[in-house]
Amino acid sequence: MQHVSACRHINLAACPDVSEVRPVSGASRYAFALVRDVAAQEVDATASRQLRRAVDFLSAVRFMVEAAFHPHAGRTTLRLAEVFATRMARSKDGHVPFSADATARMLGLKRRAVFNHARYLRELGLIAYVEHGSKRNVLRSRYGARWKKEHGYRGTATLFAAVAPRVWDEAMGRRIRGQGYRARMVGVTPAGRILAVACAEDRRRQREDGQPRHPVDNSRPCTPSAQVPQPHTSGAVDEGIKDRTRERACREKKYCQHRAKGSTNWSAARTAAAIAEARFVRLHTWWTQGSCIRQLAYALRPCFEAGWTWEEIARELASWTVPLRPRHVASYVASEIRRRVNAGQLHLPDGLVAPYRQPETSTGDDGTTPHGPRYTAMQASKAHTYRAPAARAAAALTETRRLVTRQRQPTNDHAPPKSRIPGAHPENVLLTRQEFAFLMENSPPVLASDTMWAQAQEATEYRLEAECRRDTWEYNPPTPPEPR
């Protein structure tokens, strides 16, 4: 066997003892054939059943690797399976996203080693393809015609499904109903029940061994969330100051200059006046009655900022012709004010209502936006990598087209002979001499004018005679039937 240090794709510091696995006792009595066919490694074609728990997946991987069903699977395969198990909790179906670069950095391996050990797991029937990764920019498909360069690039990741082969279910003593990915466990055998109890005991023992063993501190009378009230003391607290109330009153008052996020700089008196105005608006508008007066006053703040009175606001709301009472009056008023201002139906000073269309996003060429330098660097990399080969390919294509056009042009080597008859153009004749001879042999002879006139006169006489016979006909009634 080749020495471990000769494997250049393995980081010995991050992965010691790569080939050490613990053999499974009694695994030789189970037969298993590796899944070499790539078509059988898909979710809809796999013979393994679906797994959703990381514990079951790791148990199946340890059993298949330690049973030596695959000659190349080892400790690195187990480490890759542990990475997949940590990602299973992100999906309710147990699907695992796979990124070769991120996984290689996490395990300290080369990309080829990650691909190889992922192939070992597929051949052992432990993972199956849900979706194959692609370099196509999925953001172009998402945005369609609205895609811009600022949206960037995002490929499609490979998705694996955690599965378990039937040989592991048989070894664990589990009864399975169904075939393939949709198969389900319906029970256990008596031997499987014993194994399940033993595995549960092992997991409980591991949890207990991992917990810190130090005595519990019971000196505190209660938890920090339920503190016992302490009696108020008026004596000296610190630095010898006895009268802290007087000292605090003599200090210079410092007001906090930071306001809460989303504040509109409205004072309490101004807010109370707006609520009073909104109360009259609600009283004179039928579809606003029953709504929260504070929410309605907040929705009408752009009108109050413009200096409108409650009569003007009520007159404006009455012109909206609302057929039914809105479910949320304040939200409807705020959205309708914004829509009418942006449509030009309601005239308010600029800056009171946010516009629908935001300013155009920078293309990144100016370098003032956060994505500007990155976009400029990306364009420079593309120009260095692709534009020079593209220019060479375009020049080669132009030269090829020039040569093809030159070959298609007629040459003067086989020029047609000039005719001695002035005005004749033999090159415009459509039939050759052989075609003329063939037509003369197979065509009927040309009739003279007298013969053609005789044939026409004969046909005319025959037609006139036929018409005369049709005009002079006699009616012959049918004879009655003979008596019997």
Side-chain angles (χ1 to χ4, degrees), residues 43 46-53 56 88 91-95 161-165 168-169 180-185:
V43 168
T46 183
S48 304
R49 69 179 181 92
Q50 179 186 14
L51 293 180
R52 290 187 173 90
R53 299 174 55 197
D56 297 338
M88 287 179 61
S91 173
K92 63 182 181 63
D93 297 323
H95 295 172
V163 293
W168 177 71
D169 292 324
Y181 184 72
R182 298 302 178 185
R184 292 293 179 265
M185 185 182 68

Side-chain angles (χ1 to χ4, degrees), residues 239-252:
E239 300 180 0
I241 302 176
K242 296 183 179 180
D243 194 352
R244 294 186 58 85
T245 306
R246 182 63 181 172
E247 198 274 338
R248 187 182 299 112
C250 295
R251 290 178 184 175
E252 182 181 359

Side-chain angles (χ1 to χ4, degrees), residues 137 140 147-154 363-365 371-387:
N137 190 357
R140 281 183 175 268
W147 183 86
K148 299 180 181 180
K149 295 180 180 180
E150 292 80 12
H151 293 149
Y153 166 81
R154 184 181 301 170
T363 58
D365 296 333
H371 60 272
R374 176 179 174 272
Y375 179 77
T376 306
M378 182 179 64
Q379 293 297 329
S381 176
K382 287 183 178 180
H384 176 72
T385 306
Y386 301 109
R387 290 183 182 176

Side-chain angles (χ1 to χ4, degrees), residues 214-226:
H214 53 79
V216 181
D217 184 13
N218 292 327
S219 59
R220 299 193 57 159
C222 58
T223 60
S225 60

Side-chain angles (χ1 to χ4, degrees), residues 31-230:
F32 178 76
L34 295 177
V35 186
R36 301 288 188 180
D37 188 8
V38 180
Q41 298 175 2
E42 304 288 340
V43 168
D44 53 356
T46 183
S48 304
R49 69 179 181 92
Q50 179 186 14
L51 293 180
R52 290 187 173 90
R53 299 174 55 197
V55 176
D56 297 338
F57 176 67
L58 289 177
S59 176
V61 172
R62 292 192 185 97
F63 174 82
M64 299 298 292
V65 173
E66 293 174 356
F69 287 126
H70 200 290
H72 302 294
R75 187 179 181 86
T76 308
T77 311
L78 294 176
R79 296 181 63 225
L80 179 61
E82 291 175 357
V83 174
F84 287 167
T86 57
R87 301 174 183 173
M88 287 179 61
R90 306 175 186 176
S91 173
K92 63 182 181 63
D93 297 323
H95 295 172
V96 178
F98 176 67
S99 175
D101 296 332
T103 308
R105 289 192 301 267
M106 186 181 302
L107 297 178
L109 304 175
K110 298 293 184 181
R111 295 179 75 255
R112 179 51 52 190
V114 174
F115 284 126
N116 289 338
H117 288 279
R119 176 167 54 86
Y120 301 158
L121 293 176
R122 294 198 309 270
E123 293 177 353
L124 287 172
L126 295 169
I127 57 176
Y129 279 110
V130 177
E131 182 178 354
H132 291 268
S134 174
K135 293 295 184 180
R136 185 180 70 254
N137 190 357
V138 296
L139 296 180
R140 281 183 175 268
S141 303
R142 179 182 302 177
Y143 290 99
R146 297 181 292 105
W147 183 86
K148 299 180 181 180
K149 295 180 180 180
E150 292 80 12
H151 293 149
Y153 166 81
R154 184 181 301 170
T156 304
T158 301
L159 290 182
F160 284 124
V163 293
R166 183 60 65 92
V167 63
W168 177 71
D169 292 324
E170 294 177 357
M172 295 294 105
R174 299 180 178 182
R175 296 190 178 97
I176 306 300
R177 177 181 298 172
Q179 297 292 333
Y181 184 72
R182 298 302 178 185
R184 292 293 179 265
M185 185 182 68
V186 296
V188 293
T189 60
R193 185 176 293 104
I194 297 175
L195 288 175
V197 172
C199 291
E201 290 291 337
D202 292 340
R203 287 196 297 269
R204 182 184 62 81
R205 193 177 302 108
Q206 291 176 3
R207 288 196 301 268
E208 291 179 354
D209 294 341
Q211 293 178 356
R213 298 181 178 276
H214 53 79
V216 181
D217 184 13
N218 292 327
S219 59
R220 299 193 57 159
C222 58
T223 60
S225 60
Q227 295 289 345
V228 179
Q230 301 296 331

